[in-house]
Amino acid sequence: MVILDRLPTKDRLVRFGLAIDNVCGLCASSSESRDHLFVECCFAKEVWDIVLTSCGVCYTLTNWEDLFNWLIANLKDKSLRIRILRLAWTGMLYSVWEERNHRLFRRSSRSVDALVNSIKLVVRVKLSRYGKPRIDDVNRQLCLNWGLF
Ligand SMILES: [Zn+2]
């Protein structure tokens, strides 16, 4: 849904004729679209920064298309870093959309750190299916960052 830009983001709802505001549900300072919610929003950028740093990845977010192309090009090997990044990406998409909906419909919000912790929990649970990761010098810091010990 996210990749196909089929989520009912406010920009799409306005295009369908709904008389609603088009303000981002996370930062309330820009118009809400998929590209904004998941990449350009200051809230999403903070989450991404922590996720990417925790993966030991240096990448500067620019826009949805560049990020998507970068992820597709770089999520191919089976290293622990890439497995984490792949899970974190889907966790990030789910968590940001969930957070947007909670703020919009439940009037409750979580901090960036709380959201990152929920993403890390999902990554840990999903990785636990594969047993303990091999600990070497590269993986040690990843395991520390993601609580995989
Ligand atoms: Zn925003």
Side-chain angles (χ1 to χ4, degrees):
M1 295 279 281
V2 179
I3 291 170
L4 296 174
D5 198 9
R6 295 286 194 259
L7 290 175
T9 49
K10 290 183 178 178
D11 66 324
R12 294 187 72 231
L13 296 175
V14 167
R15 278 198 311 260
F16 293 149
L18 269 69
I20 58 170
D21 70 70
N22 190 15
V23 178
C24 172
L26 295 175
C27 69
S29 65
S30 190
S31 57
E32 185 183 282
S33 65
R34 175 202 60 188
D35 297 16
H36 175 79
L37 271 179
F38 297 103
V39 178
E40 298 160 3
C41 181
C42 57
F43 187 88
K45 277 183 188 273
E46 281 188 60
V47 175
W48 266 119
D49 282 347
I50 295 170
V51 165
L52 292 171
T53 300
S54 297
C55 285
V57 172
C58 186
Y59 177 81
T60 303
L61 289 168
T62 53
N63 59 54
W64 171 268
E65 189 176 331
D66 287 350
L67 174 65
F68 182 75
N69 289 332
W70 182 83
L71 286 166
I72 295 301
N74 288 283
L75 295 182
K76 292 182 177 165
D77 74 52
K78 295 185 180 191
S79 69
L80 180 61
R81 178 187 321 272
I82 297 305
R83 281 191 290 154
I84 291 172
L85 189 55
R86 198 178 298 126
L87 292 170
W89 178 33
T90 55
M92 158 84 186
L93 296 177
Y94 178 85
S95 296
V96 166
W97 183 248
E98 179 184 56
E99 180 62 20
R100 176 261 192 202
N101 288 334
H102 282 186
R103 289 182 186 205
L104 202 58
F105 302 116
R106 295 186 184 176
R107 305 280 182 226
S108 67
S109 63
R110 292 180 290 176
S111 67
V112 166
D113 287 338
L115 207 76
V116 169
N117 286 336
S118 74
I119 293 169
K120 286 186 173 185
L121 177 62
V122 168
V123 168
R124 279 196 301 275
V125 167
K126 290 190 174 179
L127 278 178
S128 69
R129 295 184 205 153
Y130 303 104
K132 293 257 182 215
R134 183 175 49 86
I135 306 298
D136 57 22
D137 290 341
V138 175
N139 288 350
R140 184 176 317 284
Q141 190 59 49
L142 276 171
C143 290
L144 282 171
N145 293 347
W146 290 87
L148 297 174
F149 286 114

